[in-house]
Amino acid sequence: GAGYRAGGEGTHPGQDTSPSQDTTSRTRTPDPPHRSHDSFTFWVDVKAPVGPDQRTVVKHLAFIFRLLAKKVMKKWSMTQNLTFQEQLEAGIRYFDLRVSSKPGEPGCEIYFIHGLFGHKVRDGLSDINAFLGEHPKEVVFLDFNHHYAMNEEHHRYLIAMLQEVFGPKLCKACVVEDITLDYLWENKYQVLVFYHHPSAEDCAFLWPGRKIPAPWANTTDARKLIEFLETTLSERAQYGSFHVSQAILTPRVNTVVRGLIKGLRKHLVERNLPAIMAWVEAQRPGVNGVNIVTSDFVDLVDFANTVIKLNNLLLRDRAVT
């Protein structure tokens, strides 16, 4: 997506996936960086129960066919190949996170989830925090947009975990237009957490989900996806919130059946990438353009640098004015 490059120490020239801000003038609000969809799905546990995010019929089939069904689900649940560390090193600065407790498990442990359970959330957050510690001018956006099998106690546990892991790096929710690189650096803020649950209203460092709308096309058709992206971009709020353009295709049951062996990457993503990439390359960042772009399998093409280069349009416009 159209975003900023955190310049100076901790940057990775040519790898940062966010279109950069002009480093000679840092008073403007930086657009956030390119994002990975279902960022944690580089590993899922086929031995664990099917997640509570799945429909009853899927859970029933998984119970009947056991490991075979889960292996098929794995092919269609994994949307990334890179670990958190590898995504960060590739320039990803925005993470799409879905979390759940394991029903029946004692305690309040929280896991990443997408059909099947992934790693513990604490482990993933610790990896991100370690990277931030080594690169004090980098900033990440964490979007906790789906919570499953979680009661108030689970939410309190997760919120306390965020405070424990990131501490003073957490940026308090405020007016979106006030978030500049100078502001973040001066306050040593490196993490913006968006939390799509009423719990966010009572916590100063949690940004409510309404501050980052992410319209979802829910289609397997690349043409319909692009039409949807164009429409939602034209309707996006110009001020007061971030905006996510989800350049992703969503498999239906018959899609999974037709591509049973191939999986999401080979059956749906790879053959539609040229059309999606052409749309991304034609975009402009800024108030009336793209803000965040999300993608599956960010390692398949040079998605990151394609998005970064969009920032050159902002710099060119500023040079003219």
Side-chain angles (χ1 to χ4, degrees):
Y4 58 83
R5 181 189 314 169
E9 182 180 357
T11 57
H12 305 278
Q15 293 185 352
D16 191 325
T17 58
S18 56
S20 63
Q21 288 293 307
D22 182 356
T23 54
T24 63
S25 174
R26 293 167 180 155
T27 57
R28 293 189 58 214
T29 302
D31 292 330
H34 169 61
R35 130 189 189 155
S36 57
H37 170 237
D38 283 320
S39 309
F40 49 85
T41 56
F42 50 85
W43 181 87
V44 291
D45 186 1
V46 295
K47 295 180 181 179
V50 172
D53 59 331
Q54 293 301 294
R55 290 178 293 182
T56 303
V57 63
V58 176
K59 295 177 184 177
H60 183 63
L61 288 172
F63 177 78
I64 294 173
F65 294 104
R66 308 286 176 154
L67 194 57
L68 176 62
K70 290 181 183 178
K71 286 183 177 179
V72 172
M73 287 183 68
K74 179 178 180 179
K75 286 180 175 288
W76 288 92
S77 294
M78 292 180 67
T79 63
Q80 304 300 335
N81 288 325
L82 305 181
T83 66
F84 274 131
Q85 180 70 23
E86 290 167 338
Q87 289 183 56
L88 286 162
E89 289 173 353
I92 302 301
R93 295 295 180 268
Y94 190 106
F95 294 93
D96 172 29
L97 304 173
R98 305 178 185 199
V99 295
S100 176
S101 70
K102 282 186 180 177
E105 180 179 271
C108 293
E109 198 61 69
I110 307 296
Y111 299 83
F112 296 119
I113 192 168
H114 191 223
L116 298 171
F117 285 98
H119 287 294
K120 291 180 180 178
V121 171
R122 182 180 295 276
D123 294 340
L125 298 184
S126 296
D127 288 346
I128 293 170
N129 188 56
F131 178 87
L132 295 176
E134 295 173 359
H135 305 93
K137 286 199 170 183
E138 297 295 341
V139 180
V140 298
F141 293 67
L142 306 181
D143 190 359
F144 288 86
N145 48 54
H146 289 75
H147 306 83
Y148 299 98
M150 290 176 61
N151 56 31
E152 292 302 320
E153 189 177 2
H154 289 106
H155 283 285
R156 285 194 296 270
Y157 176 82
L158 178 53
I159 292 169
M161 183 195 304
L162 288 163
Q163 286 182 295
E164 179 185 337
V165 172
F166 295 117
K169 294 186 183 77
L170 292 163
C171 177
K172 295 179 181 178
C174 61
V175 177
V176 169
E177 285 71 30
D178 289 345
I179 303 296
T180 64
L181 285 177
D182 273 344
Y183 172 80
L184 293 169
W185 291 344
E186 287 168 9
N187 289 280
K188 294 182 168 54
Y189 292 146
Q190 292 183 267
V191 184
L192 280 75
V193 177
F194 299 87
Y195 206 83
H196 298 242
H197 187 269
S199 302
E201 306 294 338
D202 301 322
C203 190
F205 69 82
L206 294 181
W207 291 67
R210 65 177 179 274
K211 291 291 186 180
I212 195 156
W216 175 42
N218 191 19
T219 181
T220 59
D221 187 318
R223 180 182 56 81
K224 290 181 180 178
L225 169 64
I226 290 169
E227 288 176 359
F228 179 85
L229 291 170
E230 291 287 350
T231 299
T232 52
L233 263 186
S234 68
E235 296 171 349
R236 66 167 282 204
Q238 292 191 355
Y239 303 99
S241 71
F242 301 102
H243 180 85
V244 178
S245 296
Q246 296 202 62
I248 58 173
L249 295 169
T250 305
R252 305 181 189 281
V253 172
N254 59 349
T255 316
V256 176
V257 171
R258 289 198 304 270
L260 198 63
I261 304 302
K262 290 183 178 180
L264 177 64
R265 173 173 172 163
K266 292 188 178 296
H267 185 73
L268 195 58
V269 176
E270 289 182 358
R271 61 192 177 95
N272 288 292
L273 267 178
I276 294 173
M277 289 299 295
W279 180 83
V280 173
E281 291 168 356
Q283 298 314 298
R284 295 184 67 86
V287 173
N288 296 308
V290 290
N291 182 211
I292 303 168
V293 179
T294 184
S295 170
D296 287 333
F297 296 110
V298 295
D299 59 310
L300 282 182
V301 291
D302 198 13
F303 207 104
N305 281 320
T306 300
V307 175
I308 295 170
K309 290 175 184 176
L310 297 180
N311 264 334
N312 294 334
L313 300 174
L314 285 178
L315 301 179
R316 194 178 307 153
D317 290 346
R318 196 173 307 166
V320 171
T321 58

